[in-house]
Amino acid sequence: MQTATLNIAILPSDEVIAQAIAMSERIAKEVGSEFTLDQNRFLPHITVYQAQYPNKNVKMIKKLVQDLSSRESFEINLDAVMISHETFLFWKCEKIDILRELQTKAIEIANPLREGLVPAQFASVTGLSEGDKYDVKTFGSLLIGPRYEPHITITRLKRKEDAERAIGVLGTSRKLSFKPKALILSYLGEHGTVTEIVEQYKFK
């Protein structure tokens, strides 16, 4: 079966993208990381729902993203830098109702369309809780519903022992508010990266 692993995600403002890339570059230089954000291969983003689908269902996922974008634009508040699942460095967003609603609506339509597929990328994620394992089994993804942590992944550390050092380099408080540029459908790369935008729709 031919498949596509895709991410429904929010594209931040230019200012936020620039700051996230600068933070990622600093961690790569001073601590060491698996990837560095940029404007092309590893684009900063906020995941709504990522999953793997049979190719025959991709057209319906594209239609879903277009439908989800047909709402008024809104403000997102970034607040803190944190470590998730031992090695992922997150720039966390405030979990507002609009972000919850976007994920809930995306899962309602997209989850059945994956037909039980689970992205191979999750095999390398460590420190999974029982809730995480449930999410992978039930939704083919992580950070769902009550465990949803809207965020921009700054990078993934090479070693979990470097977590405290990475936080020390960036600091924990990184408050910034912005309006997103668009809702995108992208290919999902290793470590949850956005490697190529497939479709892009501006909010109203």
Side-chain angles (χ1 to χ4, degrees):
M1 179 194 298
Q2 292 186 317
T3 67
T5 305
L6 303 170
N7 194 357
I8 300 171
I10 293 167
L11 190 63
S13 67
D14 290 337
E15 178 187 6
V16 170
I17 288 173
Q19 288 201 29
I21 290 172
M23 291 161 68
S24 189
E25 289 173 342
R26 188 172 177 190
I27 293 298
K29 181 179 180 180
E30 298 185 30
V31 181
S33 59
E34 296 287 355
F35 67 91
T36 304
L37 294 175
D38 59 32
Q39 293 275 6
N40 301 305
R41 292 185 310 138
F42 304 122
L43 191 62
H45 64 279
I46 299 167
T47 291
V48 175
Y49 179 57
Q50 55 191 21
Q52 185 177 9
Y53 308 94
N55 280 358
K56 64 184 176 69
N57 292 340
V58 170
K59 185 176 181 180
M60 287 181 279
I61 300 299
K62 291 179 179 179
K63 177 65 164 58
L64 168 63
V65 174
Q66 184 177 17
D67 290 345
L68 289 174
S69 70
S70 61
R71 65 177 304 145
E72 292 293 323
S73 187
F74 53 93
E75 192 166 88
I76 295 176
N77 301 312
L78 291 157
D79 53 22
V81 176
M82 60 173 281
I83 296 291
S84 181
H85 297 94
E86 299 184 326
T87 54
F88 288 89
L89 191 60
F90 285 1
W91 191 1
K92 193 165 64 71
C93 305
E94 181 183 339
K95 193 173 175 179
I96 57 176
D97 288 342
I98 292 174
L99 295 178
R100 290 193 190 96
E101 290 167 10
L102 280 173
Q103 189 188 67
T104 299
K105 290 178 181 178
I107 289 171
E108 182 181 348
I109 303 299
N111 187 38
L113 295 175
R114 65 184 182 87
E115 298 184 10
L117 294 173
V118 176
Q121 287 93 327
F122 294 136
S124 69
V125 179
T126 56
L128 294 184
S129 66
E130 289 305 312
D132 291 331
K133 293 174 184 176
Y134 172 83
D135 286 348
V136 171
K137 182 179 179 180
T138 308
F139 304 106
S141 192
L142 286 169
L143 303 178
I144 302 297
R147 285 171 289 281
Y148 184 37
E149 294 177 352
H151 64 276
I152 297 171
T153 300
I154 298 302
T155 191
R156 186 178 187 181
L157 304 174
K158 288 183 176 293
R159 307 184 316 147
K160 64 181 180 181
E161 292 81 9
D162 290 330
E164 188 175 338
R165 182 181 169 202
I167 293 294
V169 167
L170 297 180
T172 55
S173 181
R174 288 270 177 167
K175 295 185 181 297
L176 186 62
S177 298
F178 69 95
K179 284 195 172 183
K181 289 177 67 174
L183 189 68
I184 63 171
L185 181 67
S186 72
Y187 288 116
L188 182 68
E190 194 175 4
H191 314 300
T193 53
V194 159
T195 56
E196 181 184 343
I197 294 177
V198 179
E199 301 284 346
Q200 177 172 323
Y201 300 99
K202 289 185 177 180
F203 293 101
K204 303 302 181 188

